[in-house]
Amino acid sequence: QPDLNLYDVQQIEVLRGPQGTLYGSNSQAGVIRIVTKQPNLDRFEGAGTLELSNTKDGAGNGAIKGMVNMPFSPGQFAVRLVGYYDDNSGFIDNPLRHETNINDSKDYGGRLSAKLQLGAATSLLAQIFYHKLETGGRPVEREHDETIIDHFYPADGERRISLYSKEPHQDTSKVYALTLDHDFGWSDLVVAASKYDRDVKDVQDYTVSFNFFRSLQALDAFYPGPIPEGGVYIAPQSSTLWSGEARLSTKLSGPVNGVGGVYYSNREIQYLNDIVGTDFATGGPDASLGRVSSRSLDDKTKDLSVFGEVTYQATEAFSVTGGARWFRTTRDLNAVTIYPFFVGGPSVTEAPEHGRNSGTIYKALLSYKLTPDAMIYAEYAEGYRAGGTNPSTVAFVPPQYDP
């Protein structure tokens, strides 16, 4: 998950799981909802924060964050702008490459929100969010001696690790969202649509694995070809998620109220797994020194759901809630082995994988308020993870797995 820098937040809600009926897949353990502040239509606002610190065995750190709210047409249209920049020095050293504070990081970004009051009961909120994280390496250390088969790795000590390769990491997220709210009096309608783009560029040192392969070669238990002195595992990933939801929540004066809606999402993730040699002079990847393997994947997932919950307030203290969610997921996986593991040769386009599954999950809740501050309840709730496809690289693995 992206490591977002939170600033100018209205509230953070922690909902105990499972929350599958209202929030769908991947909410078995619960849901954390981060609600950002909306533009204030009535007054100008501004805030800022400056932070300075120092890290033990590292160096100085600094962060600056700010917000400005501007009502261009009081009561009708306002814009809220948030920006931040955070620089951390790191604290891990790489004695093999004579580099210090290799896990330094920078993250920066901002959020632009615009709210238009279309009428007394209708508003439109548009948001753009941008975040970028750049790190020089992982916060790992080799505090103790390690031996893998016949290769000995001496301890480097606290906050130190000898790595043949540099391990830069970049994570960029962009979100575009549009939300329409309307108050019917007896209910509230929310219609939301969003697009989420994320690009990750991750590099990790693979030299320990190369040494392991050489040890296997000495035992005649591995491919006999040349193995680079050091290498890296490169894993760029690009994803796009389109989603939309319409949700109606009633607020009737009688004992029965509920919420219901429909949700749709379309996600595509493109991966590349590439293992190549490292140029020690630069610490970066260099395929001319040797390529071990390379494989690309294109993963497409579509999800359609219909959900609802109804609550009956039997007495002032006692209530009964029931809910359900029907879902249908389709998934398509296309993979290409660009460079077969060590042996090389022409690229191989693997057979496309297709999976489709559906189901219904349920929720039941009984609650009783002992006092205004104390309640007892009994709950039955279900959650799920969407099913999908399996790569066709192993014959006995089924082509898809269920939710």
Side-chain angles (χ1 to χ4, degrees), residues 45-114:
E45 295 177 341
T49 301
L50 176 63
E51 301 174 4
L52 298 174
S53 63
N54 189 75
T55 300
K56 180 181 178 181
D57 293 334
N61 314 303
I64 183 169
K65 305 173 185 180
M67 174 278 294
V68 61
N69 184 91
M70 298 171 289
F72 289 96
S73 179
Q76 189 171 23
F77 179 69
V79 171
R80 196 177 191 95
L81 179 63
V82 176
Y84 55 86
Y85 180 85
D86 198 342
D87 188 342
N88 288 286
S89 66
F91 50 88
I92 301 294
D93 297 339
N94 184 349
L96 179 63
R97 299 192 54 82
H98 307 289
E99 296 172 343
T100 60
N101 303 334
I102 61 173
N103 65 317
D104 62 322
S105 68
K106 294 180 176 66
D107 66 289
Y108 49 91
R111 183 176 72 251
L112 174 64
S113 304

Side-chain angles (χ1 to χ4, degrees), residues 5-28:
N5 194 323
L6 302 179
Y7 185 70
D8 196 44
V9 172
Q10 179 68 37
Q11 63 195 46
I12 298 177
E13 303 173 2
V14 180
L15 308 178
R16 183 176 180 179
Q19 292 286 339
T21 51
L22 292 184
Y23 293 96
S25 63
N26 305 323
S27 59
Q28 299 97 313

Side-chain angles (χ1 to χ4, degrees), residues 72-391:
F72 289 96
S73 179
Q76 189 171 23
F77 179 69
V79 171
R80 196 177 191 95
L81 179 63
V82 176
Y84 55 86
Y85 180 85
D86 198 342
D87 188 342
N88 288 286
S89 66
F91 50 88
I92 301 294
D93 297 339
N94 184 349
L96 179 63
R97 299 192 54 82
H98 307 289
E99 296 172 343
T100 60
N101 303 334
I102 61 173
N103 65 317
D104 62 322
S105 68
K106 294 180 176 66
D107 66 289
Y108 49 91
R111 183 176 72 251
L112 174 64
S113 304
K115 186 174 184 179
L116 176 64
Q117 196 70 33
L118 299 173
T122 308
S123 65
L124 184 65
L125 176 67
Q127 290 184 301
I128 300 175
F129 180 88
Y130 176 84
H131 176 81
K132 185 166 186 176
L133 170 67
E134 299 175 330
T135 67
R138 297 173 295 153
V140 295
E141 63 184 4
R142 183 176 290 123
E143 190 176 358
H144 306 286
D145 295 341
E146 299 176 3
T147 301
I148 301 178
I149 304 183
D150 62 350
H151 203 94
F152 175 69
Y153 299 91
D156 292 305
E158 290 186 354
R159 292 179 285 280
R160 290 162 59 89
I161 186 169
S162 292
L163 297 174
Y164 193 92
S165 315
K166 292 185 177 182
E167 297 186 322
H169 175 88
Q170 294 184 357
D171 190 339
T172 304
S173 296
K174 290 175 280 189
V175 180
Y176 312 89
L178 197 63
T179 304
L180 176 71
D181 285 274
H182 181 75
D183 185 351
F184 287 107
W186 62 273
S187 66
D188 291 321
L189 174 67
V190 178
V191 180
S194 67
K195 181 190 178 188
Y196 172 45
D197 292 324
R198 186 183 183 196
D199 291 294
V200 179
K201 298 178 181 178
D202 190 52
V203 178
Q204 293 189 18
D205 186 70
Y206 213 67
T207 305
V208 171
S209 295
F210 284 7
N211 291 334
F212 175 66
F213 297 153
R214 273 188 284 271
S215 297
L216 294 179
Q217 281 184 337
L219 301 173
D220 293 328
F222 197 74
Y223 173 74
I227 299 174
E229 181 65 24
V232 289
Y233 173 76
I234 309 170
Q237 174 183 313
S238 178
S239 61
T240 298
L241 172 65
W242 292 88
S243 65
E245 179 177 294
R247 181 181 296 227
L248 186 71
S249 304
T250 67
K251 45 184 179 180
L252 304 172
S253 58
V256 179
N257 275 289
V259 57
V262 60
Y263 172 83
Y264 175 79
S265 68
N266 188 341
R267 184 192 69 183
E268 180 176 10
I269 305 178
Q270 295 178 322
Y271 308 83
L272 176 65
N273 299 323
D274 204 8
I275 303 174
V276 299
T278 295
D279 178 3
F280 186 75
T282 65
D286 187 345
S288 67
L289 299 175
R291 169 168 267 116
V292 174
S293 70
S294 184
R295 189 166 183 259
S296 67
L297 299 95
D298 184 84
D299 188 356
K300 298 178 180 179
T301 305
K302 296 180 181 180
D303 181 39
L304 175 65
S305 301
V306 179
F307 59 89
E309 283 190 6
V310 176
T311 298
Y312 173 62
Q313 194 73 39
T315 68
E316 186 175 337
F318 179 66
S319 65
V320 180
T321 299
R325 186 185 192 96
W326 172 86
F327 63 89
R328 184 184 68 203
T329 303
T330 59
R331 194 166 186 177
D332 292 280
L333 179 66
N334 293 280
V336 178
T337 300
I338 302 170
Y339 190 92
F341 189 69
F342 272 108
V343 299
S347 63
V348 177
T349 300
E350 301 172 16
E353 300 287 347
H354 175 77
R356 179 170 177 167
N357 44 65
S358 61
T360 305
I361 59 171
Y362 301 96
K363 174 182 176 178
L365 172 66
L366 303 175
S367 64
Y368 185 83
K369 285 188 176 180
L370 299 173
T371 70
D373 299 322
M375 180 180 70
I376 58 174
Y377 69 92
E379 181 182 40
Y380 172 83
E382 295 180 331
Y384 73 99
R385 288 186 183 274
T389 59
N390 289 313

